[in-house]
Short mmCIF file of all heavy atoms in Angstrom, two decimals:
data_model
loop_
_atom_site.label_atom_id
_atom_site.label_comp_id
_atom_site.label_asym_id
_atom_site.label_seq_id
_atom_site.Cartn_x
_atom_site.Cartn_y
_atom_site.Cartn_z
N LEU A 12 65.85 -13.09 -29.37
CA LEU A 12 65.42 -13.34 -30.74
C LEU A 12 65.35 -14.83 -31.07
O LEU A 12 65.73 -15.26 -32.16
CB LEU A 12 66.32 -12.60 -31.74
CG LEU A 12 66.51 -11.10 -31.49
CD1 LEU A 12 67.42 -10.50 -32.53
CD2 LEU A 12 65.19 -10.37 -31.42
N THR A 13 64.86 -15.61 -30.12
CA THR A 13 64.77 -17.05 -30.31
C THR A 13 63.33 -17.57 -30.35
O THR A 13 63.11 -18.72 -30.68
CB THR A 13 65.51 -17.79 -29.18
OG1 THR A 13 64.94 -17.39 -27.92
CG2 THR A 13 67.00 -17.49 -29.20
N ALA A 14 62.36 -16.72 -29.98
CA ALA A 14 60.96 -17.16 -29.97
C ALA A 14 60.07 -15.95 -30.23
O ALA A 14 60.47 -14.81 -30.03
CB ALA A 14 60.60 -17.79 -28.63
N TYR A 15 58.85 -16.21 -30.67
CA TYR A 15 57.91 -15.12 -30.92
C TYR A 15 56.52 -15.49 -30.42
O TYR A 15 56.19 -16.66 -30.28
CB TYR A 15 57.87 -14.75 -32.40
CG TYR A 15 57.34 -15.85 -33.28
CD1 TYR A 15 55.98 -15.98 -33.55
CD2 TYR A 15 58.21 -16.78 -33.86
CE1 TYR A 15 55.50 -16.98 -34.36
CE2 TYR A 15 57.74 -17.79 -34.67
CZ TYR A 15 56.38 -17.89 -34.92
OH TYR A 15 55.90 -18.89 -35.72
N THR A 16 55.72 -14.46 -30.16
CA THR A 16 54.34 -14.63 -29.73
C THR A 16 53.44 -13.89 -30.71
O THR A 16 53.61 -12.69 -30.92
CB THR A 16 54.12 -14.02 -28.31
OG1 THR A 16 55.03 -14.64 -27.41
CG2 THR A 16 52.69 -14.21 -27.84
N PRO A 17 52.48 -14.60 -31.32
CA PRO A 17 51.54 -13.90 -32.19
C PRO A 17 50.51 -13.14 -31.36
O PRO A 17 50.07 -13.63 -30.32
CB PRO A 17 50.87 -15.03 -32.98
CG PRO A 17 51.07 -16.26 -32.17
CD PRO A 17 52.28 -16.04 -31.31
N TRP A 18 50.15 -11.94 -31.78
CA TRP A 18 49.11 -11.15 -31.11
C TRP A 18 47.80 -11.51 -31.80
O TRP A 18 47.55 -11.14 -32.93
CB TRP A 18 49.44 -9.66 -31.23
CG TRP A 18 49.81 -9.02 -29.94
CD1 TRP A 18 49.21 -7.90 -29.41
CD2 TRP A 18 50.79 -9.40 -29.00
NE1 TRP A 18 49.78 -7.59 -28.21
CE2 TRP A 18 50.76 -8.50 -27.92
CE3 TRP A 18 51.71 -10.44 -28.93
CZ2 TRP A 18 51.60 -8.60 -26.82
CZ3 TRP A 18 52.54 -10.54 -27.84
CH2 TRP A 18 52.48 -9.63 -26.81
N ARG A 19 46.95 -12.27 -31.10
CA ARG A 19 45.77 -12.91 -31.69
C ARG A 19 44.83 -11.95 -32.42
O ARG A 19 44.28 -12.30 -33.45
CB ARG A 19 44.99 -13.67 -30.63
CG ARG A 19 45.71 -14.89 -30.15
CD ARG A 19 44.87 -15.62 -29.12
NE ARG A 19 45.63 -16.68 -28.52
CZ ARG A 19 45.52 -17.95 -28.86
NH1 ARG A 19 44.67 -18.31 -29.78
NH2 ARG A 19 46.24 -18.85 -28.25
N PHE A 20 44.62 -10.77 -31.88
CA PHE A 20 43.70 -9.83 -32.52
C PHE A 20 44.11 -9.54 -33.97
O PHE A 20 43.28 -9.30 -34.84
CB PHE A 20 43.61 -8.52 -31.74
CG PHE A 20 42.83 -7.46 -32.46
CD1 PHE A 20 41.44 -7.48 -32.44
CD2 PHE A 20 43.47 -6.46 -33.18
CE1 PHE A 20 40.71 -6.52 -33.13
CE2 PHE A 20 42.75 -5.50 -33.86
CZ PHE A 20 41.37 -5.53 -33.84
N PHE A 21 45.40 -9.58 -34.24
CA PHE A 21 45.91 -9.21 -35.56
C PHE A 21 46.02 -10.39 -36.52
O PHE A 21 46.48 -10.22 -37.65
CB PHE A 21 47.27 -8.51 -35.41
CG PHE A 21 47.16 -7.18 -34.72
CD1 PHE A 21 47.35 -7.09 -33.35
CD2 PHE A 21 46.82 -6.04 -35.43
CE1 PHE A 21 47.23 -5.87 -32.70
CE2 PHE A 21 46.70 -4.81 -34.79
CZ PHE A 21 46.89 -4.73 -33.42
N ASN A 22 45.58 -11.59 -36.10
CA ASN A 22 45.59 -12.75 -37.00
C ASN A 22 44.81 -12.41 -38.26
O ASN A 22 43.72 -11.82 -38.20
CB ASN A 22 44.95 -13.97 -36.34
CG ASN A 22 45.85 -14.61 -35.30
OD1 ASN A 22 47.00 -14.22 -35.13
ND2 ASN A 22 45.33 -15.58 -34.60
N ASN A 23 45.35 -12.78 -39.40
CA ASN A 23 44.73 -12.58 -40.71
C ASN A 23 44.60 -11.12 -41.11
O ASN A 23 43.86 -10.81 -42.04
CB ASN A 23 43.37 -13.29 -40.79
CG ASN A 23 43.52 -14.77 -40.57
OD1 ASN A 23 44.42 -15.39 -41.11
ND2 ASN A 23 42.65 -15.34 -39.75
N LYS A 24 45.26 -10.22 -40.40
CA LYS A 24 45.34 -8.82 -40.82
C LYS A 24 46.75 -8.59 -41.36
O LYS A 24 47.72 -9.06 -40.77
CB LYS A 24 45.07 -7.88 -39.64
CG LYS A 24 43.64 -7.89 -39.15
CD LYS A 24 43.50 -6.99 -37.94
CE LYS A 24 42.10 -6.95 -37.41
NZ LYS A 24 41.55 -8.21 -36.98
N ILE A 25 46.86 -7.88 -42.44
CA ILE A 25 48.18 -7.54 -42.97
C ILE A 25 48.68 -6.33 -42.19
O ILE A 25 48.05 -5.27 -42.23
CB ILE A 25 48.10 -7.23 -44.48
CG1 ILE A 25 47.58 -8.44 -45.24
CG2 ILE A 25 49.48 -6.80 -45.00
CD1 ILE A 25 47.25 -8.15 -46.70
N VAL A 26 49.77 -6.49 -41.47
CA VAL A 26 50.35 -5.39 -40.69
C VAL A 26 51.44 -4.74 -41.54
O VAL A 26 52.47 -5.34 -41.80
CB VAL A 26 50.90 -5.87 -39.34
CG1 VAL A 26 51.55 -4.73 -38.58
CG2 VAL A 26 49.79 -6.50 -38.52
N ARG A 27 51.16 -3.50 -41.97
CA ARG A 27 52.07 -2.81 -42.89
C ARG A 27 52.97 -1.79 -42.22
O ARG A 27 54.02 -1.45 -42.74
CB ARG A 27 51.24 -2.11 -43.97
CG ARG A 27 50.56 -3.06 -44.90
CD ARG A 27 50.06 -2.33 -46.13
NE ARG A 27 49.63 -3.27 -47.13
CZ ARG A 27 48.37 -3.66 -47.28
NH1 ARG A 27 47.45 -3.18 -46.49
NH2 ARG A 27 48.05 -4.51 -48.22
N ALA A 28 52.53 -1.24 -41.09
CA ALA A 28 53.31 -0.18 -40.45
C ALA A 28 53.24 -0.32 -38.93
O ALA A 28 52.21 -0.70 -38.38
CB ALA A 28 52.76 1.18 -40.86
N LEU A 29 54.35 -0.02 -38.28
CA LEU A 29 54.43 -0.03 -36.81
C LEU A 29 55.12 1.25 -36.37
O LEU A 29 56.12 1.67 -36.96
CB LEU A 29 55.24 -1.22 -36.32
CG LEU A 29 54.63 -2.60 -36.56
CD1 LEU A 29 55.66 -3.68 -36.30
CD2 LEU A 29 53.42 -2.79 -35.67
N THR A 30 54.59 1.87 -35.32
CA THR A 30 55.21 3.07 -34.77
C THR A 30 54.89 3.16 -33.28
O THR A 30 54.04 2.44 -32.78
CB THR A 30 54.75 4.34 -35.52
OG1 THR A 30 55.60 5.43 -35.14
CG2 THR A 30 53.30 4.67 -35.21
N ARG A 31 55.58 4.04 -32.59
CA ARG A 31 55.37 4.27 -31.17
C ARG A 31 55.14 5.77 -30.97
O ARG A 31 55.86 6.59 -31.54
CB ARG A 31 56.60 3.82 -30.38
CG ARG A 31 56.47 3.97 -28.90
CD ARG A 31 57.69 3.43 -28.15
NE ARG A 31 57.66 1.98 -28.14
CZ ARG A 31 58.50 1.20 -28.82
NH1 ARG A 31 59.43 1.71 -29.58
NH2 ARG A 31 58.40 -0.11 -28.76
N ASP A 32 54.13 6.13 -30.16
CA ASP A 32 53.87 7.55 -29.93
C ASP A 32 54.58 8.04 -28.67
O ASP A 32 55.31 7.29 -28.02
CB ASP A 32 52.36 7.83 -29.89
CG ASP A 32 51.64 7.17 -28.73
OD1 ASP A 32 52.28 6.76 -27.74
OD2 ASP A 32 50.40 7.07 -28.80
N ASP A 33 54.35 9.31 -28.32
CA ASP A 33 55.02 9.92 -27.16
C ASP A 33 54.64 9.26 -25.84
O ASP A 33 55.38 9.35 -24.87
CB ASP A 33 54.70 11.41 -27.09
CG ASP A 33 55.32 12.18 -28.24
OD1 ASP A 33 56.28 11.67 -28.86
OD2 ASP A 33 54.85 13.30 -28.52
N ALA A 34 53.47 8.61 -25.80
CA ALA A 34 53.02 7.93 -24.58
C ALA A 34 53.52 6.48 -24.53
O ALA A 34 53.13 5.72 -23.66
CB ALA A 34 51.50 7.96 -24.49
N ASN A 35 54.38 6.10 -25.47
CA ASN A 35 54.97 4.76 -25.57
C ASN A 35 53.96 3.70 -26.02
O ASN A 35 54.18 2.52 -25.83
CB ASN A 35 55.65 4.35 -24.27
CG ASN A 35 56.79 3.39 -24.54
OD1 ASN A 35 57.43 3.45 -25.58
ND2 ASN A 35 57.03 2.48 -23.61
N THR A 36 52.85 4.12 -26.61
CA THR A 36 51.88 3.18 -27.18
C THR A 36 52.37 2.76 -28.55
O THR A 36 52.77 3.58 -29.36
CB THR A 36 50.50 3.85 -27.32
OG1 THR A 36 50.07 4.27 -26.03
CG2 THR A 36 49.48 2.90 -27.91
N VAL A 37 52.33 1.45 -28.81
CA VAL A 37 52.69 0.93 -30.12
C VAL A 37 51.42 0.90 -30.96
O VAL A 37 50.36 0.46 -30.50
CB VAL A 37 53.30 -0.49 -30.02
CG1 VAL A 37 53.54 -1.09 -31.39
CG2 VAL A 37 54.61 -0.44 -29.22
N TRP A 38 51.51 1.38 -32.20
CA TRP A 38 50.39 1.44 -33.14
C TRP A 38 50.70 0.58 -34.35
O TRP A 38 51.82 0.57 -34.84
CB TRP A 38 50.15 2.87 -33.60
CG TRP A 38 49.64 3.74 -32.50
CD1 TRP A 38 50.37 4.42 -31.57
CD2 TRP A 38 48.28 4.02 -32.20
NE1 TRP A 38 49.55 5.09 -30.71
CE2 TRP A 38 48.25 4.88 -31.08
CE3 TRP A 38 47.07 3.63 -32.78
CZ2 TRP A 38 47.08 5.34 -30.53
CZ3 TRP A 38 45.89 4.10 -32.23
CH2 TRP A 38 45.90 4.95 -31.11
N ALA A 39 49.67 -0.15 -34.82
CA ALA A 39 49.82 -0.99 -36.01
C ALA A 39 48.88 -0.51 -37.10
O ALA A 39 47.67 -0.42 -36.89
CB ALA A 39 49.52 -2.45 -35.66
N GLY A 40 49.44 -0.18 -38.26
CA GLY A 40 48.65 0.13 -39.44
C GLY A 40 48.42 -1.17 -40.20
O GLY A 40 49.37 -1.85 -40.57
N THR A 41 47.15 -1.52 -40.40
CA THR A 41 46.82 -2.82 -40.97
C THR A 41 45.93 -2.70 -42.20
O THR A 41 45.53 -1.61 -42.59
CB THR A 41 46.07 -3.70 -39.93
OG1 THR A 41 44.72 -3.25 -39.83
CG2 THR A 41 46.74 -3.67 -38.57
#
């Protein structure tokens, strides 16, 4: 918890929700 990496595709998108499905895919509600 000392550094972070921005995920470029999501720049300027408001990320409101994060979840993980049964296949371990992370989903972002924006």
Side-chain angles (χ1 to χ4, degrees):
L12 308 180
T13 57
Y15 64 89
T16 303
W18 248 234
R19 290 181 188 259
F20 172 79
F21 294 94
N22 285 354
N23 300 316
K24 291 176 179 61
I25 300 170
V26 177
R27 291 195 170 95
L29 294 168
T30 192
R31 182 177 285 110
D32 65 18
D33 292 341
N35 209 31
T36 301
V37 174
W38 292 85
T41 76

